[in-house]
Amino acid sequence: MAWIILLCAGLLEIVWAVGLKYSHGFTRLTPSVITAVAIIASMGLLATAMRDLPAGTAYAIWTGIGAVGTAIVGIIFLGESANIFRLLSLGCIVVGLIGLKLSS
């Protein structure tokens, strides 16, 4: 169950990372509120997952899900670069996350 909670925390990290862009430095109310709620929920779920998972593993996977997910959202929806080096780099992060999961 802790892994599912951690996955949800990571998905919410993607929401708040993208929300930061749309909040324009917290000058737009609705994206700012969504971002703040997602931050609180994401960290709350991370803290809950850390009850049963090693802190280093949980934090690295939470951060990795957020980083890779936000980069993918940027590529698909925000017109960011999808060059081969960037995609290979994201793949390396995913391989590292899988390694952390398998070693826990």
Side-chain angles (χ1 to χ4, degrees):
M1 189 64 168
W3 288 105
I4 294 169
I5 292 170
L6 185 59
L7 174 64
C8 292
L11 294 174
L12 282 168
E13 186 182 3
I14 297 166
V15 171
W16 69 255
V18 173
L20 284 174
K21 176 152 182 75
Y22 287 102
S23 76
H24 289 261
F26 294 108
T27 60
R28 293 185 174 166
L29 181 61
T30 301
S32 296
V33 170
I34 291 168
T35 300
V37 169
I39 288 170
I40 292 166
S42 179
M43 290 195 178
L45 290 173
L46 173 62
T48 301
M50 282 185 170
R51 291 178 185 166
D52 298 318
L53 300 174
T57 300
Y59 182 76
I61 289 178
W62 176 73
T63 304
I65 292 169
V68 171
T70 303
I72 290 170
V73 168
I75 290 167
I76 294 172
F77 297 107
L78 303 175
E80 296 178 4
S81 171
N83 64 56
I84 191 68
F85 185 72
R86 188 167 191 198
L87 296 175
L88 288 172
S89 298
L90 290 172
C92 288
I93 295 171
V94 171
V95 168
L97 296 175
I98 291 168
L100 284 171
K101 166 67 172 103
L102 294 174
S103 69
S104 293

